[in-house]
Amino acid sequence: MGNSRLSKEDREEIMKKTKYSPEDIEQLIKDFKVAAASDKKSGFSQEDFIKFFKKRFSNWDDASMVRMFTLFDSDGNGVLDVKEFITALHMMTKAPVVEKLGFFFDVFDADKSGYLEREEVDKLVNVIVNCAKGLGYSVSDAVDYGVSIISCRHISDVDKGMSREDFIKSANQSDQFIKTICFYESACMQLY
């Protein structure tokens, strides 16, 4: 049923980082046990992670979802334990928007250079366009919108590409962008 145990130190770290209460942590552990129950490994598999988060990020491509999973799989064992699972839920739902944008940048900065180069920008724009289309934008408007977020006017060093700082600053200025990529605050006070 997965590694659903948290040490006292892990609980304290999670509560400090996420502002989850002890009761919230207990509920998340229960949810983890249900989600991990279908996996014969020691936690939440990549397949289950994608299935779980596709409900919230339905317009994201599978490659981006795999990259997201990889970033959350902090120990690199191919399975999310309960601490990684709770961290993922927090980041994707309750974390401050600036943290979410930084994480979003990291999903697309595949080479970990700190900059989005052309191929990475293309993948980012593709996700933005798909999300915008899913919200009812025309293809033309969706493309224009996606390109506006990563335009050269927002890039401090065009030769290197768009830095993490440039991306966060540009994207954070647009409530529409935040909503388009589903990084808005939860409509109700739920854990996720």
Side-chain angles (χ1 to χ4, degrees):
M1 195 180 317
N3 182 2
S4 58
R5 292 191 178 96
L6 284 175
S7 68
K8 181 180 177 183
E9 294 80 18
D10 284 343
R11 284 176 188 267
E12 289 173 2
E13 178 186 339
I14 289 170
M15 286 189 288
K16 182 179 177 182
K17 183 177 179 181
T18 66
K19 308 294 188 236
Y20 284 143
S21 70
E23 295 79 18
D24 293 339
I25 300 293
E26 286 306 313
Q27 182 61 52
L28 290 167
I29 290 170
K30 288 177 186 175
D31 294 347
F32 173 81
K33 288 177 181 179
V34 170
S38 66
D39 191 331
K40 304 296 184 224
K41 297 180 183 175
S42 61
F44 205 66
S45 71
Q46 179 178 297
E47 180 182 333
D48 287 340
F49 173 88
I50 292 170
K51 183 178 173 184
F52 185 85
F53 279 103
K54 271 286 195 182
K55 293 174 186 170
R56 184 171 172 98
F57 300 100
S58 61
N59 294 306
W60 283 49
D61 63 41
D62 286 343
S64 298
M65 296 297 293
V66 168
R67 176 82 175 121
M68 188 184 309
F69 175 86
T70 302
L71 289 171
F72 285 126
D73 182 19
S74 59
D75 61 9
N77 71 350
V79 179
L80 298 187
D81 61 28
V82 69
K83 183 178 178 183
E84 293 165 332
F85 177 77
I86 292 171
T87 300
L89 285 177
H90 176 261
M91 180 57 70
M92 303 317 295
T93 59
K94 297 290 187 181
V97 169
V98 170
E99 284 183 41
K100 291 177 184 179
L101 291 172
F103 180 77
F104 187 71
F105 178 92
D106 293 343
V107 168
F108 293 94
D109 184 19
D111 64 1
K112 300 178 184 177
S113 67
Y115 292 88
L116 296 179
E117 291 86 20
R118 182 73 192 156
E119 183 178 306
E120 295 165 334
V121 167
D122 290 346
K123 288 180 181 181
L124 171 81
V125 170
N126 186 50
V127 167
I128 294 169
V129 168
N130 286 331
C131 289
K133 287 186 333 189
L135 293 173
Y137 291 91
S138 69
V139 173
S140 175
D141 287 344
V143 170
D144 289 346
Y145 181 66
V147 170
S148 73
I149 294 298
I150 51 90
S151 73
C152 289
R153 71 175 187 261
H154 301 293
I155 300 173
S156 56
D157 188 342
V158 178
D159 292 332
K160 289 184 177 179
M162 182 173 240
S163 71
R164 191 174 201 266
E165 181 181 322
D166 291 339
F167 173 77
I168 292 170
K169 183 178 178 184
S170 172
N172 199 31
Q173 293 175 2
S174 173
D175 289 337
Q176 188 176 8
F177 176 77
I178 301 302
K179 290 176 184 174
T180 299
I181 60 169
C182 303
F183 281 173
Y184 44 82
E185 294 298 323
S186 179
C188 44
M189 296 305 292
Q190 297 176 349
L191 292 175
Y192 51 90

